[in-house]
Amino acid sequence: QAFFCLLLCIPWGSSCPPSCQCTERAGAKAVLCSSQHLEEIPKDIPRDVVFLKLDANSITRIPSNAFKHLSHLEEIDLSRNAIEKIDRAAFRGVAAGLRTLDLSSNRIRSIPKEALLALNAKLRLANNPWHCECALQEVLWEARLDLDSVQDITCHTAPREEYVGKPLLQVLDAGANFCSVRQRTMDVAMFITMFGWFAMVIVYIICYVRHNREDSCRHGDYLRSLPSAQAPAE
């Protein structure tokens, strides 16, 4: 009886990743890999998983297409890991159906906005050593953030010292705009590039005019020398 009970409790355990527990929650498949010292996302997660818990591990990176084959995913918990890098296409394939993504309490300093703005999921990004910049500002304004944790998105580093240690929302409410700083930098770079091209055109025109003038002078000298060259023949 105990054996049959085990089969009923874990009906698809044969396809479960090592060190993980596979079960059902409200009729939906769940893979529970919490606190298993994982250093990367398992490769053999069943395709019909709906709830995926990978919290409290040692995962450092979310590579491109990490969950692409898991089209039924609705919740991913990656909190309390050591994540530092998230690729632009990390959540490709699950963007449409994902409802919750927990990335809190990691080591994330920056994140490509493309990785998150394509999601409809509610995001938890609190308690990371964020570098406050334009991409993070755009995520704050455009993504669906968990309202209970948004105040814990704090500037660990920032372009200006007075922003360090303050919640990003408070900094922005005070009038800061990290995207305008980037825009000014781009404007200056564009101005320098245009000035460089303009200077090159001017130099080219000057050289062209000078070269033509020298050719004209040589041609004039040649023409002036013709009568004197023909004088002995007469």
Side-chain angles (χ1 to χ4, degrees):
Q1 291 179 348
F3 175 76
F4 285 112
C5 180
L6 181 63
L7 290 180
L8 290 174
C9 292
I10 312 178
W12 53 306
S14 60
S15 61
C16 198
S19 303
C20 298
Q21 178 186 0
C22 296
T23 183
E24 291 194 9
R25 292 167 49 186
K29 308 287 183 164
V31 176
L32 313 177
C33 307
S34 305
S35 305
Q36 296 299 318
H37 308 289
L38 299 175
E39 296 182 357
E40 61 180 18
I41 298 169
K43 307 292 186 189
D44 50 354
I45 298 173
R47 292 179 175 272
D48 54 351
V49 61
V50 176
F51 305 103
L52 178 60
K53 286 186 64 66
L54 294 163
D55 56 304
N57 283 291
S58 302
I59 299 170
T60 59
R61 179 190 174 200
I62 307 178
S64 296
N65 302 313
F67 310 99
K68 186 176 181 179
H69 64 292
L70 308 177
S71 58
H72 298 282
L73 264 181
E74 295 183 8
E75 295 184 16
I76 305 175
D77 187 353
L78 285 158
S79 63
R80 295 182 296 149
N81 274 277
I83 298 170
E84 296 180 354
K85 180 175 176 56
I86 299 176
D87 291 357
R88 294 178 183 273
F91 303 104
R92 180 183 295 165
V94 297
L98 202 62
R99 292 186 301 153
T100 301
L101 174 61
D102 194 342
L103 294 168
S104 60
S105 301
N106 277 281
R107 300 176 185 173
I108 307 170
R109 297 189 69 252
S110 62
I111 190 169
K113 64 179 182 180
E114 296 85 356
L116 298 183
L117 293 184
L119 300 175
N120 294 318
K122 182 180 292 186
L123 304 175
R124 298 190 181 101
L125 304 176
N127 301 317
N128 281 285
W130 290 107
H131 174 65
C132 287
E133 57 182 349
C134 182
L136 183 60
Q137 175 179 321
E138 290 178 341
V139 168
L140 184 67
W141 290 144
E142 299 179 37
R144 290 185 59 224
L145 296 180
D146 180 67
L147 296 180
D148 295 333
S149 63
V150 69
Q151 284 291 346
D152 294 322
I153 301 176
T154 303
C155 296
H156 186 74
T157 56
R160 296 174 61 175
E161 188 66 29
E162 62 262 33
Y163 300 152
V164 175
K166 295 182 178 179
L168 176 59
L169 191 61
Q170 177 183 335
V171 171
L172 296 177
D173 285 344
N177 188 340
F178 299 107
C179 294
S180 66
V181 172
R182 186 179 70 175
Q183 185 62 45
R184 285 197 299 270
T185 303
M186 291 176 62
D187 290 343
V188 171
M190 184 174 295
F191 173 79
I192 293 173
T193 302
M194 292 178 64
F195 179 80
W197 279 107
F198 181 74
M200 289 176 61
V201 171
I202 294 299
V203 170
Y204 174 79
I205 292 174
I206 292 173
C207 293
Y208 179 79
V209 171
R210 182 177 297 174
H211 178 73
N212 285 349
R213 182 178 297 174
E214 291 174 354
D215 285 347
S216 298
C217 290
R218 283 195 297 268
H219 187 64
D221 292 342
Y222 172 74
L223 292 177
R224 283 193 295 271
S225 68
L226 289 178
S228 60
Q230 293 174 357
E234 296 175 354

